[in-house]
Amino acid sequence: MHHCLSSIKLRRECRTHNIDPSVVGSSQFGQLWKAVLPGNYRGYTEQLYSQSLIYTLNDGIQYVFVSTTQNNVYKINAKTGAIVASRNLHVPFLTADLDACVDISPTVGVTATGVIDPDTDTWYLTAKTYLDQSDQTKGRLNGRYYFHAIDVNTLAEKPGFPRGLEGVIASNNANRMFQGGNAHQRPALLHTGQYIYAGFASHCVQYNFTGWIMGWDKTSGELVERFTTEGGPEANTVPGGGVWMSGGGIATDGKGSMYFSTGNGYSSQLSGTPVPGRQPPTALEEAAVNMKINDDGSLRVVDFFMPWEKVQLDGADKDLGTTPLELLQPDVFTCPNVKRMGVVTGKSGKLYILNLDNLGGYQQGPNKLDAVAQVIQNENSVYAGAGVYPLEGGYIYINVIQYPTHVFKFSCDGSGNPSFTKVGDSPENNAYILGVGHGTTTSLNGQAGTGLLWVSDVDGYNLRVYNAIPVDGRLQLIKTANVAGITKFTRPVFGDGRAYLGTVQGALYCFGSPVNLPLTCTSPNDFGSVVINSTSTAKTIQCQANVDTQVTSITIKSSNFQISSLPTLPFSVVNGQNFSFQAVFAPAAPGPLSNDVLLATRNSVDGFSTSVPVSLKGIGDSLAPLLSVTPNLVSFAGVITGQEAGGRDQSIIFANQGDGVLTIKGLDYSIVSETGPLVTPNNTANGPQVGPFTFKGLPTTIAGNSQAVVNINFNPTNSGNFAVYVHVRTDGGTKIFDVVGTAGTYPVAVLEFQAADGSGKWIPYTNNSPPFSFGNVFEQQTKIRKMRLTNNGSSSAASLSITVSKPPFGVPGIVGAQNGVDLAEGTVLRAGESATADLYCSVPKSQVNTDSYNGSTVWTMNTGDPNFGKQFIQFTCNAVSEQVGPLYPNGSAIYRYDGCWKENNPGRQLKVQLWGQDHNNTNGRCISACADQGYTYAGTQYVEECWCGNKIPSSQSNETDCNYACSGDETETCGGNGYFHDGSFISLFTNKPGVDDPTPPTPPAVVKSVGNYNYTACYTEGSGQRSLGAQNTASDEMTLEKCAAFCTGYTYFGIEYASECYCGNAIGVGSAPTVESECSMVCSGNDTQICGGGNRLTLYTLNGKSPSSSLVSTSTSGSSASSISSASSGASPSATGPIAVPSAGAYAYQGCYTEGTNARALADTATASDLMTVEKCAIFCAGYTYMGVEYSAECYCANTIGNGAVLASDGCSMTCGGNSNEFCGGSNHLNLYKAGSKLTVTSSLVTTSTSGSSASSISSASSSASPSATGPIAVPSAGAYAYQGCYTEGTNARALADTATASDLMTVERCAIFCAGYTYMGVEYSAECYCANTIGNGAVLASDGCSMTCGGNSNEFCGGSNRLNLYKAGSKLTVTSSVASVSSTATSTVSSTTVGALTVSTTPTSTSSGPSAHSRAVRQNYRFKQHDGRTVCYILFWLSIYGRGVFDRVLLWKYHWGWVNIGRRRLYHDVWR
């Protein structure tokens, strides 16, 4: 029920609800719109657990204000559903940090309903997040809560907000400190006067769930209260008194009092000791609480109520505080002895009617029971706050789990005490699982007869609307709707004839009537009191047309009203025209009666309805006395024999609906049936007693239009089923009502789990000694077992209810529950009845011969069995991998899996290959073969290869880098390509687990000198010729020393591809220094030395000479001659000593600069190397405005210079680690360079050729860098993808959001391989690759911004800052191979063939003994032949690490077409296959 406060603005909000039952019940009322919220944190859909707020701003527009679990807030147009504004407050807290508590999952952000202060247009709310807003550091204890004040006009934060709460010490207990990670703020906030208050508990029943009430000054944000419900002297580890109330709100009477309810706890200060309400304990557990709000905002407890069975409720987790303590309107719900009252219900199912001025204390009633106004027992737990209807005498509505919604009518008994009598039920049961929402009622402008009850539910119809007054004991359902993903414990909110509902699927729904009325008619029409069976004076109903309209019918479905003097139908009226008809009231029954005349219309104007309701109402009056009895059935269920001293009470109403005095002539009783035989009751001081039933307060007469409340007490002394049938005989008629009751012993809970061995045997629960076990479960298998709960009480035992159930559903790990429905909270089992839930252990794919590991989970449960107690039921599962190869007697493998290792080829550590291209390769087969030959290590690689050795590879990698399925068993892994990690990875096994080598391998490193040769740099190969072309050799045992010896007498030597040695006196055209990381291969003969890379030389110079800037290269057959002259060379340091290099590449020297103040001078990116030079730093920083070198070895890049960095007079005196003739900064000082205009490169190129030879000359204004002649381009196509243009990122989301990867060696082609199968792919920020099947909202074609080159290819563009080079998949590829050849007498003939959808064109290449032929070119030879009727294509080539993308593509061909075979081993120096 909406409670309209005193402010003018809020009263206006309440008046504009305009919820007309005749409209709601018509076909015109339905879903108007659905607003899908765009939040997508980590791919999760955001959820709405807090209630939306409807508020009209000064612009006259009504808005819906929404907050979500992703800490997003939205301002939405209430009529259109358009999102007007949004804002993210923080990163959300992750449910994954809550140890399997998934009540709200996967994020916890804003979960409590906020409040809007209409005086300042400020929206107050709380949000849960982390201390670290960089979204990196997680963990429960890093969780934080913040209190926000948001301007509803702009969604901006008010000055001085938000305010944190972490570490706050309680005002009433110095030993209690607030911890945001443990806390959960679920109740709706309270705004009263200058202050805002919020209640806290914890998550599930975990951690320290002690309750808190926090209060803030709404203007300053200062804390005015920090009250804890555990006030001492108990230890601060004792939890209890959580304030959560299923999201219901803290209440105030507006007169200085605050009211709320709390959950269970374990300080138990009052165990068995009665305490008056005005002497409250310091531990407020299982309590209804009244606090005085002081002028300064602080709070003081003045009164409390605690159920007499508090200790038992604690043991069974039957929280009182599952519902809010609701205050009933004192002008309606008032009696002589109880002027103001409230209502609270809990997990015990008991409905407590409390005197707000005297809550009742603890065990203050007779027999140490409850001293409250009334207690009513419901069948099951209640989590939803009561619906309250303050018209037509007053009603409340209680939504019981798994049972109907109960309707209770208010009255005062003959002693002046309140009495709520059950007078009706809903025709449907509420959901089996938790989630039926808080009861909500509406009326049309406060008119009697227009009340509606709205119920939201997680099962069945998700929205149900009933007429508020039951008829013949049943609520009348007038409207239903299904709402996908409706939030548990929610309720509709209302505004201007519309209802709004939030969901856990990121949507807000709006229901209403989309149309205006074409007619304005006199309504409502009140006929007053009319004697039944007579007819009132006719009333004239006037109608005026609002648009040109045709009226097709005028009808009413009621025997109590008639209409007449209707115009001839159909008829038409023009805009502004009037017509009329007459109506009379002829009541056939006493009491308030109403109905609607419906005028069916047609018009051609959009936005107007086809039906117009006209309300008629009156009161049927009986002059003679007339008896009614409500309800006609009173039921007592679930009573434990002898549990409650004095028994249990319910009430029934005898009403006189006539004007005359009603005289009761007598009551007749039967215990058999309504027709007899009759029995004589025992007359006691309290009233007639029949069996265990006593009838108290039976009247003898009832005044006209009055009622009397009769209390019925059920106090059985033995177990069984009981009934009494009562006839009430009066001068106003005879009525019959039935009273039934059941009493039994306590239920007995028996919990069992199916045996792991599949025998069907049930294993009883023994307090986790041992835990329930799934036994062994092998990888890639799932085992399902059932847990069974039985009510094993006697045949007369009471039903067993599950009061707490937190199944491990949706939790991480290999063990979990199949769903959150089975054995859920609220489940009720009769004596002898059982219920089960399925749990699973699902073990993921793993490598063979790995160690077994345990998975586990916990199910928290409690029941109504007083001896069961809260249990944390443990489940374990032993995950076992397949064991292969030689085995120990116990069945475990001798060769254990040692991980995924990076292997080099050439330069392998496992050098013995037993087989390759084997279609039956498995790890077990390879291990057995290596074991037979006595090797310590066995490894599988490239799907089909088996390798053995006694030396472990040089470096271990991530498991994800081994990603190839074995050819003989696709469930096993045989090596991998490391995705984008550029390498060869082997799945390694060893018979010496944990012992790799007697001494750990020395990490490979660049050797600074070899004999008379000094290390120069990592160099690229030349353009069209060798960098070093004088002579070469190769060996699988290559070392730097061997190459230096081979090249004795030459100026330079270099090694690449781990095993190839080259010599020369000059460096070839196009060969230049590059970043050190590109020379990363270890020497084939020495694992501690670096021997180049793919197309990259580790270069050494005789006697430390630097490469000359005037280079000449000569060769004979198949060679080229080149000369380069340069006016400036950044690579040629002065011969006189170290200098500050004046320029390097595109960068010009700016001076020696200090570091910044509290930050780096150049902070965008950085690298470091012991062989650093200014030129290397310039290469690394390409694309940035500034670069600088520092501390000899450090390189920094940025587009701006940080604060505090200034020009220094000295301090840059350290020489570069890679060139002692250059300065590389100093301690906190940089040699700083700035990029200028692009280099001007002029060239004069002449090429002549006789038989494959050429001669070239190039002159250049600068040779410190060699930019491409054409510059980087947007690659027009890559694989199946065609270029679409430069696109912006999306709005609040990625343009391409399905999957992504990143690599410092990214190219467009690599991204195309990664995104294979997706419609779109795109590259961004040089190194990022994104894929998707659709383009996200807001991503549009941009005119510029894609100017960053690819990390793996500087000749390609890879997007920019928030810009993607975007590609779309098109038709199938035509794969063409054209291989360049350098030869003394080279000729080419192109041939092609088509096989299936694949076209392969080949250019055969001749062989040569020269190095360019056998060491550089990729030799391809496609041979086609017929074999067993199939075309077989052998693709024979060798690939460096830079050809990995090609290999991946060919590997896909292999698995798509069985006729493709692949070889991957280089056998000798000049033989490839």
Side-chain angles (χ1 to χ4, degrees):
M1 179 70 186
H2 271 293
H3 298 281
C4 296
L5 303 181
S6 58
S7 85
I8 296 174
K9 213 167 190 181
L10 285 186
R11 285 203 304 271
R12 184 180 73 227
E13 294 299 313
C14 290
R15 285 199 305 270
T16 56
H17 287 169
N18 296 330
I19 304 296
D20 188 337
S22 61
V23 174
V24 174
S26 73
S27 60
Q28 302 290 329
F29 192 90
Q31 181 180 321
L32 296 182
W33 49 259
K34 171 186 173 183
V36 178
L37 305 180
N40 192 35
Y41 177 78
R42 295 195 175 187
Y44 301 139
T45 299
E46 56 189 332
Q47 301 173 327
L48 285 75
Y49 275 87
S50 59
Q51 300 297 334
S52 302
L53 301 176
I54 314 300
Y55 188 66
T56 302
L57 292 176
N58 291 329
D59 59 9
I61 300 174
Q62 195 169 76
Y63 297 96
V64 187
F65 291 89
V66 176
S67 52
T68 77
T69 57
Q70 291 187 13
N71 282 330
N72 294 324
V73 292
Y74 297 93
K75 177 181 177 182
I76 299 175
N77 187 296
K79 287 192 175 181
T80 66
I83 297 175
V84 177
S86 65
R87 176 182 163 217
N88 176 257
L89 306 178
H90 312 276
V91 297
F93 186 89
L94 294 176
T95 305
D97 283 336
L98 294 179
D99 303 318
C101 173
V102 292
D103 279 359
I104 296 178
S105 179
T107 60
V108 181
V110 182
T111 56
T113 304
V115 292
I116 294 177
D117 178 7
D119 295 330
T120 61
D121 281 352
T122 304
W123 181 10
Y124 296 95
L125 54 82
T126 62
K128 184 162 187 172
T129 180
Y130 291 100
L131 172 65
D132 176 20
Q133 289 298 297
S134 69
D135 204 23
Q136 299 299 315
T137 304
K138 305 296 182 184
R140 172 169 51 86
L141 295 182
N142 289 312
R144 296 292 186 271
Y145 258 103
Y146 291 93
F147 174 61
H148 286 267
I150 299 170
D151 188 323
V152 293
N153 296 284
T154 64
L155 298 189
E157 201 78 29
K158 289 295 184 80
F161 292 87
R163 290 298 187 111
L165 278 175
E166 192 66 14
V168 167
I169 304 299
S171 60
N172 61 322
N173 187 346
N175 292 321
R176 295 278 181 174
M177 183 177 74
F178 182 86
Q179 291 181 293
N182 291 337
H184 186 204
Q185 208 272 295
R186 190 72 174 94
L189 275 64
L190 170 67
H191 171 211
T192 176
Q194 184 62 23
Y195 307 111
I196 310 292
Y197 296 93
F200 291 82
S202 186
H203 298 273
C204 295
V205 285
Q206 298 177 168
Y207 320 121
N208 195 324
F209 51 87
T210 295
W212 290 78
I213 300 291
M214 297 291 188
W216 298 268
D217 184 284
K218 72 176 186 179
T219 304
S220 68
E222 294 294 331
L223 271 173
V224 295
E225 184 55 275
R226 49 190 192 280
F227 178 88
T228 179
T229 55
E230 296 286 356
E234 77 289 335
N236 60 14
T237 56
V238 175
V243 183
W244 71 285
M245 303 188 295
S246 300
I250 303 171
T252 181
D253 60 1
K255 304 295 184 181
S257 285
M258 172 193 294
Y259 298 87
F260 59 89
S261 61
T262 68
N264 64 315
Y266 299 103
S267 97
S268 300
Q269 293 177 352
L270 307 185
S271 180
T273 303
V275 174
R278 296 294 174 175
Q279 300 173 21
T282 57
L284 294 167
E285 305 163 344
E286 301 273 16
V289 182
N290 175 7
M291 301 185 84
K292 171 70 166 59
I293 304 173
N294 298 314
D295 291 343
D296 61 358
S298 62
L299 303 172
R300 183 172 65 87
V301 182
V302 296
D303 196 6
F304 83 104
F305 161 70
M306 195 177 288
W308 69 266
E309 67 269 48
K310 187 264 181 190
V311 175
Q312 293 90 328
L313 295 178
D314 284 339
D317 278 291
K318 292 185 175 181
D319 296 15
L320 174 68
T322 55
T323 75
L325 171 52
E326 293 194 55
L327 313 187
L328 305 182
Q329 286 87 330
D331 56 338
V332 176
F333 298 91
T334 186
C335 290
N337 296 334
V338 180
K339 300 294 186 182
R340 304 189 312 145
M341 57 192 76
V343 56
V344 66
T345 320
K347 284 187 184 179
S348 71
K350 284 186 177 180
L351 168 63
Y352 296 94
I353 307 300
L354 303 180
N355 183 345
L356 294 180
D357 298 316
N358 181 13
L359 291 178
Y362 174 63
Q363 294 187 352
Q364 293 296 290
N367 300 311
K368 297 176 66 174
L369 297 181
D370 297 325
V372 298
Q374 188 178 3
V375 180
I376 301 170
Q377 179 69 57
N378 294 291
E379 304 92 330
N380 205 351
S381 299
V382 179
Y383 290 76
V388 181
Y389 182 55
L391 301 175
E392 302 180 64
Y395 293 80
I396 63 173
Y397 307 83
I398 305 297
N399 296 331
V400 185
I401 297 293
Q402 299 181 0
Y403 285 86
T405 294
H406 298 322
V407 186
F408 295 90
K409 181 174 173 53
F410 168 71
S411 61
C412 299
D413 66 15
S415 301
N417 296 313
S419 178
F420 287 83
T421 302
K422 194 178 83 164
V423 295
D425 290 320
S426 63
E428 303 84 9
N429 287 347
N430 296 308
Y432 180 85
I433 58 175
L434 293 189
V436 61
H438 299 277
T440 310
T441 65
T442 60
S443 64
L444 179 61
N445 300 321
Q447 300 174 33
T450 65
L452 295 176
L453 170 68
W454 303 70
V455 177
S456 62
D457 206 349
V458 295
D459 202 4
Y461 287 116
N462 305 120
L463 177 62
R464 303 189 291 268
V465 188
Y466 305 91
N467 285 322
I469 307 301
V471 177
D472 297 328
R474 284 287 180 267
L475 288 169
Q476 306 300 303
L477 185 66
I478 67 168
K479 181 64 65 175
T480 62
N482 286 317
V483 180
I486 195 166
T487 309
K488 64 181 179 181
F489 309 141
T490 191
R491 70 170 183 84
V493 295
F494 304 92
D496 197 13
R498 292 173 170 84
Y500 304 87
L501 274 170
T503 75
V504 295
Q505 295 183 2
L508 177 70
Y509 287 79
C510 173
F511 294 89
S513 176
V515 292
N516 300 308
L517 296 177
L519 303 172
T520 298
C521 298
T522 308
S523 184
N525 298 279
D526 191 348
F527 290 87
S529 294
V530 176
V531 176
I532 58 175
N533 299 320
S534 64
T535 302
S536 71
T537 303
K539 281 185 173 290
T540 299
I541 312 299
Q542 296 283 349
C543 295
Q544 184 178 69
N546 297 321
V547 293
D548 295 350
T549 303
Q550 183 183 51
V551 180
T552 57
S553 67
I554 303 176
T555 58
I556 187 169
K557 295 180 179 179
S558 173
S559 59
N560 297 308
F561 299 92
Q562 291 93 41
I563 54 177
S564 61
S565 302
L566 304 177
T568 303
L569 296 165
F571 64 92
S572 297
V573 287
V574 298
N575 186 8
Q577 184 178 351
N578 296 315
F579 67 92
S580 64
F581 60 93
Q582 292 192 320
V584 295
F585 178 38
L593 300 169
S594 63
N595 215 303
D596 289 332
V597 179
L598 295 179
L599 289 80
T601 66
R602 282 201 297 258
N603 61 76
S604 58
V605 182
D606 291 337
F608 285 84
S609 73
T610 59
S611 178
V612 176
V614 176
S615 177
L616 308 178
K617 63 180 183 178
I619 298 174
D621 187 18
S622 173
L623 299 177
L626 185 64
L627 173 69
S628 72
V629 175
T630 307
N632 57 17
L633 173 66
V634 178
S635 177
F636 295 87
V639 174
I640 304 299
T641 304
Q643 180 192 40
E644 298 181 51
R648 185 177 293 175
D649 289 337
Q650 289 197 53
S651 61
I652 193 168
I653 297 174
F654 291 3
N656 178 5
Q657 295 182 315
D659 294 339
V661 175
L662 176 75
T663 300
I664 297 177
K665 297 180 178 180
L667 279 76
D668 300 324
Y669 306 90
S670 173
I671 59 174
V672 178
S673 71
E674 290 183 353
T675 59
L678 301 180
V679 296
T680 301
N682 295 323
N683 290 317
T684 69
N686 291 323
Q689 180 182 4
V690 180
F693 301 103
T694 301
F695 299 87
K696 304 176 181 179
L698 287 171
T700 56
T701 60
I702 302 175
N705 298 305
S706 298
Q707 62 187 28
V709 177
V710 177
N711 289 317
I712 305 172
N713 175 261
F714 179 52
N715 190 17
T717 57
N718 58 292
S719 301
N721 298 318
F722 307 92
V724 60
Y725 308 92
V726 184
H727 290 236
V728 184
R729 294 179 286 106
T730 73
D731 60 355
T734 298
K735 297 291 184 182
I736 302 174
F737 67 92
D738 304 335
V739 185
V740 297
T742 61
T745 56
Y746 280 106
V748 177
V750 174
L751 193 65
E752 301 163 295
F753 192 65
Q754 282 184 323
D757 59 11
S759 63
K761 181 180 178 182
W762 290 93
I763 309 299
Y765 176 65
T766 55
N767 294 321
N768 297 318
S769 299
F772 287 152
S773 175
F774 286 86
N776 291 336
V777 179
F778 288 95
E779 54 110 5
Q780 283 201 295
Q781 293 187 11
T782 298
K783 183 184 288 187
I784 297 175
R785 291 292 182 266
K786 293 183 182 296
M787 182 172 68
R788 180 172 69 183
L789 179 66
T790 302
N791 183 351
N792 203 37
S794 66
S795 59
S796 61
S799 293
L800 176 72
S801 62
I802 299 179
T803 57
V804 169
S805 182
K806 305 298 179 186
F809 173 60
V811 300
I814 63 174
V815 185
Q818 293 277 55
N819 59 55
V821 176
D822 298 331
L823 296 182
E825 284 183 30
T827 299
V828 176
L829 303 175
R830 296 184 295 272
E833 189 175 15
S834 298
T836 63
D838 288 342
L839 292 102
Y840 66 84
C841 176
S842 185
V843 180
K845 178 181 178 180
S846 65
Q847 184 60 282
V848 299
N849 293 7
T850 56
D851 294 336
S852 63
Y853 61 93
N854 282 320
S856 63
T857 194
V858 173
W859 189 319
T860 305
M861 182 180 288
N862 207 342
T863 73
D865 177 354
N867 298 315
F868 188 78
K870 184 185 294 182
Q871 299 297 323
F872 300 92
I873 307 155
Q874 298 177 12
F875 302 85
T876 63
C877 176
N878 190 39
V880 180
S881 72
E882 184 181 2
Q883 305 293 295
V884 298
L887 303 177
Y888 289 111
N890 65 2
S892 63
I894 295 173
Y895 280 75
R896 310 304 299 167
Y897 180 58
D898 203 37
C900 180
W901 290 74
K902 187 172 186 179
E903 181 62 289
N904 294 294
N905 186 1
R908 303 185 62 92
Q909 285 76 47
L910 271 66
K911 297 181 181 297
V912 179
Q913 183 179 24
L914 297 188
W915 60 75
Q917 294 189 2
D918 191 310
H919 298 316
N920 295 311
N921 189 39
T922 65
N923 289 302
R925 184 165 164 246
C926 182
I927 291 168
S928 296
C930 292
D932 289 344
Q933 298 191 28
Y935 288 105
T936 300
Y937 296 98
T940 55
Q941 191 170 6
Y942 282 119
V943 180
E944 299 176 331
E945 297 177 0
C946 174
W947 296 81
C948 312
N950 290 317
K951 194 171 184 181
I952 196 167
S954 57
S955 63
Q956 190 169 9
S957 189
N958 296 328
E959 284 301 304
T960 53
D961 284 334
C962 286
N963 57 334
Y964 287 155
C966 299
S967 60
D969 186 344
E970 64 180 11
T971 67
E972 296 181 15
T973 300
C974 285
N977 71 339
Y979 293 100
F980 285 91
H981 292 170
D982 280 334
S984 261
F985 294 88
I986 189 168
S987 298
L988 190 69
F989 301 84
T990 179
N991 62 6
K992 294 181 180 179
V995 182
D996 294 336
D997 271 341
T999 57
T1002 302
V1006 172
V1007 177
K1008 292 194 174 183
S1009 63
V1010 181
N1012 293 326
Y1013 289 90
N1014 291 332
Y1015 176 68
T1016 303
C1018 177
Y1019 263 67
T1020 64
E1021 269 294 357
S1023 302
Q1025 64 171 238
R1026 276 282 173 201
S1027 176
L1028 303 176
Q1031 68 172 7
N1032 65 82
T1033 187
S1035 169
D1036 285 341
E1037 299 298 328
M1038 182 59 66
T1039 66
L1040 293 171
E1041 292 79 8
K1042 287 182 180 180
C1043 188
F1046 177 76
C1047 293
T1048 299
Y1050 286 96
T1051 304
Y1052 305 102
F1053 85 81
I1055 306 180
E1056 66 182 50
Y1057 286 104
S1059 62
E1060 300 173 7
C1061 170
Y1062 297 89
C1063 319
N1065 290 316
I1067 295 178
V1069 175
S1071 181
T1074 186
V1075 293
E1076 292 297 318
S1077 60
E1078 295 188 9
C1079 288
S1080 59
M1081 287 186 175
V1082 298
C1083 299
S1084 59
N1086 188 335
D1087 294 343
T1088 67
Q1089 299 177 345
I1090 294 296
C1091 280
N1095 286 324
R1096 298 296 186 268
L1097 281 156
T1098 300
L1099 187 77
Y1100 288 79
T1101 307
L1102 182 64
N1103 296 323
K1105 291 173 66 177
S1106 298
S1108 172
S1109 61
S1110 179
L1111 305 178
V1112 178
S1113 175
T1114 62
S1115 65
T1116 55
S1117 176
S1119 66
S1120 62
S1122 305
S1123 66
I1124 303 176
S1125 62
S1126 175
S1128 169
S1129 173
S1132 301
S1134 169
T1136 60
I1139 63 168
V1141 176
S1143 63
Y1147 293 90
Y1149 185 52
Q1150 304 297 301
C1152 180
Y1153 271 67
T1154 66
E1155 276 291 0
T1157 304
N1158 299 321
R1160 281 284 180 196
L1162 304 179
D1164 288 357
T1165 189
T1167 188
S1169 169
D1170 288 339
L1171 299 172
M1172 181 59 64
T1173 66
V1174 175
E1175 293 76 17
K1176 288 178 182 178
C1177 187
I1179 293 170
F1180 177 79
C1181 291
Y1184 288 95
T1185 305
Y1186 297 95
M1187 72 95 170
V1189 281
E1190 180 175 335
Y1191 281 111
S1192 294
E1194 300 173 7
C1195 169
Y1196 296 91
C1197 324
N1199 286 317
T1200 59
I1201 300 177
N1203 291 334
V1206 296
L1207 193 63
S1209 59
D1210 57 16
C1212 292
S1213 58
M1214 290 185 178
T1215 58
C1216 299
N1219 189 339
S1220 60
N1221 291 317
E1222 300 177 357
F1223 282 126
C1224 277
S1227 174
N1228 283 316
H1229 285 69
L1230 300 105
N1231 285 101
L1232 188 133
Y1233 294 77
K1234 182 177 181 181
S1237 58
K1238 291 186 177 179
L1239 288 176
T1240 301
V1241 180
T1242 62
S1243 64
S1244 175
L1245 177 62
V1246 178
T1247 302
T1248 62
S1249 176
T1250 55
S1251 60
S1253 64
S1254 64
S1256 304
S1257 66
I1258 302 175
S1259 62
S1260 174
S1262 171
S1263 65
S1264 62
S1266 301
S1268 169
T1270 57
I1273 63 168
V1275 176
S1277 64
Y1281 293 90
Y1283 185 52
Q1284 305 297 301
C1286 180
Y1287 271 67
T1288 66
E1289 275 291 359
T1291 304
N1292 298 322
R1294 281 283 180 197
L1296 305 179
D1298 289 355
T1299 189
T1301 188
S1303 168
D1304 289 339
L1305 297 174
M1306 182 58 64
T1307 65
V1308 175
E1309 293 76 14
R1310 286 180 179 172
C1311 188
I1313 292 169
F1314 178 80
C1315 292
Y1318 288 95
T1319 304
Y1320 297 94
M1321 72 95 170
V1323 281
E1324 181 174 332
Y1325 281 112
S1326 294
E1328 300 173 7
C1329 169
Y1330 297 90
C1331 325
N1333 286 318
T1334 58
I1335 299 177
N1337 291 336
V1340 295
L1341 194 63
S1343 59
D1344 55 17
C1346 292
S1347 57
M1348 290 185 178
T1349 58
C1350 299
N1353 188 342
S1354 60
N1355 291 319
E1356 300 177 358
F1357 282 126
C1358 276
S1361 174
N1362 283 315
R1363 294 291 191 276
L1364 297 108
N1365 285 101
L1366 187 133
Y1367 294 77
K1368 183 177 182 183
S1371 58
K1372 292 184 177 179
L1373 276 178
T1374 297
V1375 181
T1376 304
S1377 173
S1378 179
V1379 182
S1381 172
V1382 180
S1383 173
S1384 59
T1385 56
T1387 60
S1388 299
T1389 304
V1390 178
S1391 63
S1392 67
T1393 185
T1394 299
V1395 184
L1398 177 68
T1399 300
V1400 180
S1401 299
T1402 65
T1403 305
T1405 58
S1406 63
T1407 60
S1408 169
S1409 60
S1412 295
H1414 67 248
S1415 301
R1416 191 74 269 121
V1418 178
R1419 184 172 176 224
Q1420 301 188 20
N1421 181 5
Y1422 292 82
R1423 297 182 301 169
F1424 298 89
K1425 66 178 182 179
Q1426 293 298 116
H1427 180 69
D1428 295 334
R1430 296 175 298 160
T1431 300
V1432 181
C1433 173
Y1434 290 89
I1435 306 176
L1436 305 172
F1437 58 94
W1438 185 88
L1439 295 169
S1440 74
I1441 58 172
Y1442 298 96
R1444 180 61 55 198
V1446 179
F1447 173 75
D1448 290 341
R1449 176 57 62 190
V1450 176
L1451 190 65
L1452 290 176
W1453 298 347
K1454 169 181 171 58
Y1455 286 102
H1456 280 294
W1457 301 291
W1459 43 261
V1460 177
N1461 292 281
I1462 306 170
R1464 288 171 297 276
R1465 182 185 176 202
R1466 182 178 178 184
L1467 296 182
Y1468 303 103
H1469 173 57
D1470 59 352
V1471 180
W1472 310 77
R1473 83 173 187 188

